[in-house]
Amino acid sequence: MSELSFEQMLEDSVKTIRNGEIVQGTVIDVKEDEIILNIGYKADGIITKNEYSNDASLVLTDAVHVGDTMEAKVLKVNDGEGQVTLTYKRLAAEKGNKRLEEAFENQEVLKAPVTQVLDGGLCVNVDEARVFIPASLVSDTYEKDLSKYADQEIEFVITEFNPRRRRIIGNRKQLLLAEKAEKQKELMERIHVGDTVEGTVKNVTDFGAFIDLGGADGLLHISEMSWGRVENPKKVFTVGDKVKVLIKEINGEKIALSLKFPEANPWLTAAEDFAVGNVVKGKVARMTDFGAFVELAPGVDALLHVSQISREHVAKPSDVLSIGQEIEAKVVDFNGEDKKISLSMKALEAPAEEATEE
């Protein structure tokens, strides 16, 4: 028995290891800046904090504990003090590179935390292997400030793999575009002209608002924002507003929206509300030399001809009226088919005198 033990001891004492070899060991001590590993060799193996991880904020005593078993790669058989210098991170990076190569070939979707935000893009680590995602491939829209991605876990695919040139490029934009295309396809299959849908205001311009319908954007043109007139969309809508809109038209990928719901069309009740003989109130909306257009309800304008403003002579409407002024007048003509209504203020002033003169 003792002979076998001696032979065993002799064999152990002459066990050789080489630089670059992968060894397995058990942690026998963890210090603030190094790990000591029993690797079954005449000398212990040392992994410095720098050779364990690229993460400077890592606390070694929290990450590794006595009794843990781990693999490492031999950097130097004798560091000058009779110890073996090992690396854990480089072995992990090699395994990570292998993992990334497979992901590149299979176009696999990877998920990893952002370890660094640079001017030109983001760095993520997959098993200690570094992947760079250029700013142009981070999102499907231009993002000036990438700091919001710090420490976030993000999904991406590898679109370039060249470890020799230290170029492993990740692409998040490709995934977002694919997801958007899928959502757009689903939306287009679901919506029809005449449907009422809910969306979120994404952008407001002078000519309208773009509404995110959850898969595609629709345009709500200024002329479709109300049965009445809208001077400035920015005064009506704010980015982030939730709105219920009507699908007016679908043309390929273009979706036209409207807030002019048919049941709210003011002309549906106009014949009754503005029948000839009715006395109505309205606001002067705009003026020409021949008369003033008076808004009786949103989307219903009537003409007050210059000759009908007063029994006294009026050269032009702006001499006696102003935009926004509220007036009272009598409906003297109603044409529902052509959507034309004529008013008279004069008729309220002196209908009796006019009748007598006749």
Side-chain angles (χ1 to χ4, degrees):
M1 189 72 181
S2 58
E3 211 172 315
L4 277 173
S5 307
F6 179 73
E7 280 174 18
Q8 188 70 50
M9 285 163 65
L10 190 64
E11 194 184 317
D12 285 350
S13 69
V14 293
K15 178 183 174 186
T16 57
I17 54 173
R18 295 177 191 84
N19 290 350
E21 191 178 324
I22 293 165
V23 294
Q24 200 154 20
T26 306
V27 178
I28 53 174
D29 195 12
V30 185
K31 298 175 181 172
E32 198 179 307
D33 56 356
E34 66 179 22
I35 301 162
I36 301 170
L37 216 60
N38 175 359
I39 53 170
Y41 182 62
K42 62 183 177 185
D44 291 328
I46 305 288
I47 303 173
T48 62
K49 182 181 176 180
N50 194 38
E51 284 301 333
Y52 179 77
S53 172
N54 284 319
D55 184 359
S57 64
L58 179 102
V59 178
L60 213 50
T61 49
D62 289 345
V64 183
H65 305 96
V66 171
D68 288 354
T69 56
M70 59 196 292
E71 273 189 332
K73 193 174 188 177
V74 177
L75 283 180
K76 212 181 264 182
V77 174
N78 188 340
D79 64 357
E81 292 177 15
Q83 289 171 316
V84 184
T85 309
L86 304 171
T87 179
Y88 175 78
K89 75 172 184 186
R90 295 188 210 188
L91 180 62
E94 282 172 21
K95 286 182 178 175
N97 273 353
K98 186 76 186 146
R99 168 100 178 81
L100 293 174
E101 188 174 12
E102 286 170 6
F104 169 65
E105 285 167 1
N106 303 326
Q107 278 297 286
E108 182 191 341
V109 177
L110 298 171
K111 197 173 190 179
V114 173
T115 52
Q116 233 180 333
V117 177
L118 306 167
D119 286 343
L122 306 174
C123 285
V124 294
N125 271 21
V126 177
D127 301 335
E128 292 296 329
R130 184 173 174 273
V131 178
F132 180 63
I133 304 176
S136 60
L137 300 180
V138 168
S139 177
D140 57 338
T141 53
Y142 171 69
E143 290 197 82
K144 193 177 179 183
D145 183 16
L146 297 177
S147 61
K148 70 173 185 182
Y149 291 103
D151 302 321
Q152 249 195 54
E153 206 169 41
I154 60 170
E155 288 190 333
F156 55 94
V157 286
I158 305 295
T159 47
E160 192 178 332
F161 183 79
N162 191 337
R164 278 197 190 87
R165 286 186 59 209
R166 297 175 72 87
R167 265 181 77 81
I168 302 175
I169 302 296
N171 187 328
R172 181 171 176 264
K173 178 182 179 177
Q174 185 177 308
L175 293 181
L176 295 177
L177 289 173
E179 189 184 342
K180 194 176 258 186
E182 187 57 36
K183 279 186 177 176
Q184 185 178 26
K185 184 171 168 267
E186 283 174 16
L187 179 77
M188 290 304 198
E189 285 169 359
R190 197 173 72 236
I191 60 171
H192 306 92
V193 170
D195 286 354
T196 298
V197 293
E198 190 173 53
T200 308
V201 177
K202 193 174 176 182
N203 189 20
V204 187
T205 67
D206 292 338
F207 62 83
F210 288 94
I211 314 290
D212 182 355
L213 303 174
D217 293 347
L219 172 63
L220 177 61
H221 193 266
I222 186 169
S223 61
E224 291 295 328
M225 287 183 174
S226 167
W227 282 107
R229 65 178 61 77
V230 172
E231 301 294 339
N232 184 352
K234 291 178 182 178
K235 287 184 179 175
V236 184
F237 294 103
T238 309
V239 170
D241 284 352
K242 292 263 188 279
V243 285
K244 278 192 175 170
V245 285
L246 184 73
I247 307 281
K248 186 179 180 236
E249 194 183 338
I250 300 170
N251 188 352
E253 290 182 358
K254 289 184 178 174
I255 305 168
L257 305 173
S258 179
L259 280 175
K260 290 163 126 178
F261 293 99
E263 64 274 17
N265 186 341
W267 284 94
L268 290 176
T269 56
E272 193 182 324
D273 298 340
F274 312 117
V276 172
N278 283 8
V279 175
V280 294
K281 282 184 179 175
K283 273 187 182 172
V284 177
R286 58 192 196 281
M287 283 186 270
T288 65
D289 286 344
F290 62 83
F293 287 93
V294 179
E295 186 181 58
L296 301 180
V300 180
D301 285 357
L303 173 64
L304 174 62
H305 194 270
V306 65
S307 64
Q308 294 300 314
I309 292 174
S310 172
R311 59 183 169 162
E312 291 173 19
H313 175 71
V314 176
K316 56 181 192 285
S318 55
D319 291 342
V320 289
L321 299 174
S322 55
I323 301 287
Q325 182 183 339
E326 196 170 277
I327 61 124
E328 197 172 53
K330 193 173 192 175
V331 178
V332 290
D333 188 37
F334 181 90
N335 180 340
E337 205 175 315
D338 295 336
K339 295 184 178 172
K340 285 184 178 174
I341 303 172
S342 298
L343 301 176
S344 173
M345 288 172 74
K346 187 165 88 172
L348 290 182
E349 269 186 14
E353 285 92 324
E354 280 181 1
T356 322
E357 282 168 21
E358 294 260 326

